[in-house]
Amino acid sequence: MSTTKDFPPPVKWIDDRLGIGKIGKKNLRKVFPDHWSFMLGEIALYSFIILILTGIFLTLWFKPSMGEVEYQGSYSLLKGLHMSEAYASTLDITFDVRGGLLMRQIHHWAAVLFVASMMVHLLRIFFTGAFRKPRELNWVIGFTMLFLGIIEGFIGYGLPDDLLSGTGLRITQGMIQASPVIGTYLSFFIFGGEFPGNEFVSRFFTIHVLLIPGLILALVTAHLFLVVYHKHTQYPGPGRTEKNVVGYPLMPVYMAKAGGFFFVVFGVTALMGALLQINPVWLYGPYNPAEVTAGSQPDWYMGWLEGSVRLMPGFESHFWGVTLSWNLLIPALLIPPAFVTLVALYPFIEQWITGDKREHHLLDRPRNMPTRTGIGAAFITFYGLLWIGGGNDLIATHFGVSLNNVTWFLRVMIFLGPVFAFWATRRIAISLQRSDNERLLHGLESGIIMRLPHGEYIEKHTPISTYEAYELTARDRILPLDIGPETDENGVRAPKRALNKVRARLSRFYFADSVQKPTAEDIAEAHAHGHGHDDHEELGHADEVPGLTGTVEIDDETAREQITKH
């Protein structure tokens, strides 16, 4: 791609009019780091593409109508039964359209994989600190995509108008009606009258195939643009700094790997759709408000919301003729939005507490930020307990225990569990920090016992490699926020002093007990007084580390500078 003369005639024709050669030459050589965890975002992207492709297929035969028809299709057990056109067309896709059941199941599995991969991808970003400046906006965009993906999945789950999805919609309608003042009006607007109404399938269909996919596509575009603009984050390692990116070029290496990985994801999803049954709507029958499916459960990503409702004790209040259903208002309309808002704004909260305004392109090891890692564990525990609560009836029946005991246990643990998870995870991270410092200062235990001339027995330690030493020291020394004196040199009281004191306390708590990396003096002193290994073994030779084309050699002087830099 050195000159436009190298282009084939059709490409050259486009280049002469759009100038793609100059743009492509720069961007197609852009470097991206290589790590298995970066594939999580790719899985989400490829799942979204699979959803679009299979969704187009399903749209050709699905009828988004609540009009009543008498089923005369291939499934004999429901023949002659009155049902909506939406449910009848879903049965036709399943049994009468060639490949219809496979496409339905691929579509459903891709939706599950889309939400799951986004969740795990966001967890990776959280625990490694990839959301820090300048990527706060991209964190909000990614979290918005997850939120829209969950809504999109739930709406698609309700389109077939079967008994299971109708039960879920009935619960949702109850939550909507619990909204003070506007609940009834909002329910009538969404469902087109009394539940289930005659309009909700057509309205949900428009939102499912047009509005939310368009929003997600726009957010995906913005997300990828910001990834390219900000450069990709990378894990610490020799040669990697805050000012460079070490990895493979987009073209041809990364595009070939990404293209192959797309077909792997598509193949695995197709295999799941072919072999693993999901959402067999023909077993549930059409929705009937007078019936309910025994042991009904929503898709897994809605389980935490259902668990929140199930764990809340039932009580109401009455004020001036207005009924407030706290058993729905708190678990469905207050706790989930509060939790989602807290997670979405976390990058800004952490930045305010720590006072860290620097740009970060190197990722953190989770152990090096123990408080953040503990907070993440608390979030996961809170979510997990609510998710378990969504299946409290199945837990009780499968394990032969009391449903009330399961529910009360989860009610207690929803308060204690996150606190314990935070404390335990934080202590483990701090212990791992101390272990890293011990390895850095004193090396590895060799298991060889030596006796000194004066009779003391010691264990010989083996120095760690330069590569490992660099990884252990490729982090900043962190200190609590200093808010300065209470008054300036003229005796004038500093503004917002009370707020800054709160901020300082939070900062001290955030960094409390965190183990700082050793200074150059600490390393020198440890090696000078260390026992059981020779000084010349410390950094006595140039280490070779894996590179993009063979190896990259780091000499002794460079290695010492990288290890002792802070």
Side-chain angles (χ1 to χ4, degrees):
M1 198 181 291
S2 57
T3 65
T4 57
K5 295 179 181 179
D6 300 329
F7 291 151
V11 179
K12 187 177 184 306
W13 186 90
I14 297 175
D15 178 61
D16 291 340
R17 288 151 181 81
L18 301 177
I20 63 172
K22 184 177 180 181
I23 299 174
K25 185 175 182 180
K26 177 181 178 181
N27 290 285
L28 291 179
R29 299 299 298 173
K30 193 170 184 65
V31 173
F32 287 88
D34 188 47
H35 192 271
W36 68 267
S37 65
F38 299 151
M39 294 192 300
L40 298 169
E42 293 182 50
I43 294 175
L45 175 62
Y46 302 151
S47 300
F48 181 63
I49 295 174
I50 295 170
L51 284 170
I52 293 176
L53 296 177
T54 55
I56 292 173
F57 178 92
L58 297 175
T59 303
L60 299 176
W61 282 278
F62 182 73
K63 296 179 181 179
S65 170
M66 288 291 288
E68 187 174 309
V69 296
E70 182 179 322
Y71 180 67
Q72 295 296 333
S74 301
Y75 190 62
S76 59
L77 295 180
L78 295 178
K79 187 168 291 188
L81 196 66
H82 288 266
M83 59 186 65
S84 67
E85 284 190 282
Y87 186 63
S89 64
T90 303
L91 293 177
D92 289 339
I93 292 172
T94 302
F95 296 108
D96 299 313
V97 175
R98 188 177 298 275
L101 177 59
L102 177 63
M103 285 296 177
R104 274 195 60 240
Q105 299 212 144
I106 291 177
H107 190 74
H108 204 126
W109 278 119
V112 170
L113 190 62
F114 179 55
V115 177
S117 57
M118 281 197 293
M119 281 189 175
V120 181
H121 179 57
L122 285 169
L123 287 176
R124 196 276 301 175
I125 291 174
F126 180 88
F127 284 112
T128 60
F131 56 78
R132 294 171 296 173
K133 183 181 178 181
R135 296 175 180 84
E136 305 97 327
L137 180 59
N138 230 0
W139 168 267
V140 175
I141 289 175
F143 199 78
T144 304
M145 282 194 288
L146 173 61
F147 183 72
L148 289 176
I150 291 174
I151 296 177
E152 173 79 342
F154 180 73
I155 290 177
Y157 160 84
L159 286 178
D161 194 35
D162 59 280
L163 184 58
L164 181 62
S165 66
T167 302
L169 287 174
R170 188 68 176 91
I171 297 172
T172 303
Q173 191 253 354
M175 296 178 183
I176 294 171
Q177 284 193 322
S179 304
V181 182
I182 65 171
T184 303
Y185 301 99
L186 193 59
S187 174
F188 270 64
F189 172 75
I190 293 174
F191 294 99
E194 290 282 357
F195 182 84
N198 296 317
E199 305 294 336
F200 86 88
V201 169
S202 58
R203 294 181 181 184
F204 279 22
F205 182 76
T206 303
I207 296 172
H208 182 73
V209 304
L210 183 62
L211 179 60
I212 295 183
L215 292 175
I216 293 177
L217 186 60
L219 291 174
V220 167
T221 304
H223 180 74
L224 295 178
F225 171 79
L226 289 176
V227 168
V228 174
Y229 178 72
H230 291 144
K231 299 184 303 184
H232 205 294
T233 54
Q234 57 186 346
Y235 287 92
R240 301 171 186 173
T241 69
E242 296 282 5
K243 297 182 180 180
N244 71 354
V245 178
V246 178
Y248 296 100
L250 179 63
M251 183 69 182
V253 178
Y254 202 85
M255 289 189 69
K257 293 175 67 175
F261 190 49
F262 167 74
F263 288 108
V264 170
V265 174
F266 206 146
V268 171
T269 308
L271 195 64
M272 293 170 66
L275 302 179
L276 305 177
Q277 179 175 277
I278 187 170
N279 198 28
V281 295
W282 58 91
L283 298 181
Y284 308 138
Y287 178 64
N288 184 339
E291 300 173 354
V292 65
T293 304
S296 59
Q297 301 289 320
D299 275 338
W300 69 270
Y301 47 82
M302 296 301 297
W304 74 292
L305 181 58
E306 176 147 337
S308 178
V309 175
R310 290 191 183 194
L311 296 184
M312 185 67 186
F315 64 96
E316 298 176 342
S317 299
H318 304 276
F319 300 99
W320 303 289
V322 176
T323 299
L324 294 179
S325 300
W326 299 107
N327 55 321
L328 284 177
L329 188 61
I330 293 176
L333 302 179
L334 294 181
I335 292 180
F339 179 71
V340 168
T341 302
L342 177 63
V343 176
L345 297 181
Y346 181 83
F348 306 97
I349 296 172
E350 180 179 292
Q351 187 181 93
W352 181 77
I353 292 174
T354 62
D356 186 0
K357 302 291 185 180
R358 299 166 299 170
E359 287 196 4
H360 295 275
H361 303 287
L362 284 179
L363 299 172
D364 289 326
R365 299 176 75 200
R367 66 183 63 181
N368 290 333
M369 297 298 289
T371 300
R372 179 203 296 153
T373 304
I375 292 172
F379 283 161
I380 293 173
T381 303
F382 179 77
Y383 177 91
L385 288 170
L386 291 180
W387 186 79
I388 293 173
N392 60 350
D393 56 334
L394 297 181
I395 293 174
T397 55
H398 278 70
F399 292 96
V401 295
S402 167
L403 176 61
N404 287 336
N405 290 343
V406 173
T407 302
W408 274 105
F409 173 79
L410 292 173
R411 285 174 179 173
V412 174
M413 289 304 298
I414 203 68
F415 294 100
L416 300 182
V419 176
F420 175 78
F422 170 80
W423 174 81
T425 304
R426 191 164 175 269
R427 298 311 306 173
I428 292 172
I430 291 172
S431 298
L432 291 174
Q433 281 186 312
R434 291 172 178 163
S435 175
D436 286 345
N437 278 8
E438 186 71 17
R439 290 163 66 87
L440 185 63
L441 294 174
H442 304 293
L444 300 173
E445 297 177 354
S446 65
I448 301 174
I449 305 300
M450 300 177 58
R451 183 179 182 182
L452 300 181
H454 59 276
E456 179 186 358
Y457 287 93
I458 64 169
E459 182 178 12
K460 181 179 175 65
H461 284 67
T462 304
I464 61 177
S465 67
T466 305
Y467 183 93
E468 184 179 1
Y470 179 84
E471 282 192 323
L472 295 179
T473 55
R475 60 187 178 102
D476 298 320
R477 295 177 64 82
I478 50 179
L479 297 172
L481 180 67
D482 183 10
I483 60 174
E486 191 154 345
T487 59
D488 60 17
E489 62 276 7
N490 299 318
V492 179
R493 182 178 175 85
K496 300 181 180 178
R497 189 65 185 176
L499 181 62
N500 286 334
K501 284 184 177 180
V502 174
R503 186 182 179 191
R505 292 193 192 100
L506 291 173
S507 181
R508 286 194 295 270
F509 170 76
Y510 192 88
F511 295 121
D513 300 327
S514 184
V515 180
Q516 302 290 356
K517 73 173 183 178
T519 63
E521 293 77 13
D522 294 335
I523 296 176
E525 182 180 357
H527 291 166
H529 295 86
H531 299 294
H533 64 77
D534 298 328
D535 289 341
H536 72 272
E537 290 180 321
E538 175 194 340
L539 287 171
H541 61 280
D543 279 10
E544 290 185 344
V545 297
L548 301 181
T549 55
T551 58
V552 178
E553 189 174 88
I554 299 179
D555 57 29
D556 294 348
E557 183 178 355
T558 303
R560 291 179 187 273
E561 289 178 356
Q562 290 178 340
I563 293 172
T564 58
K565 182 181 178 182
H566 58 85

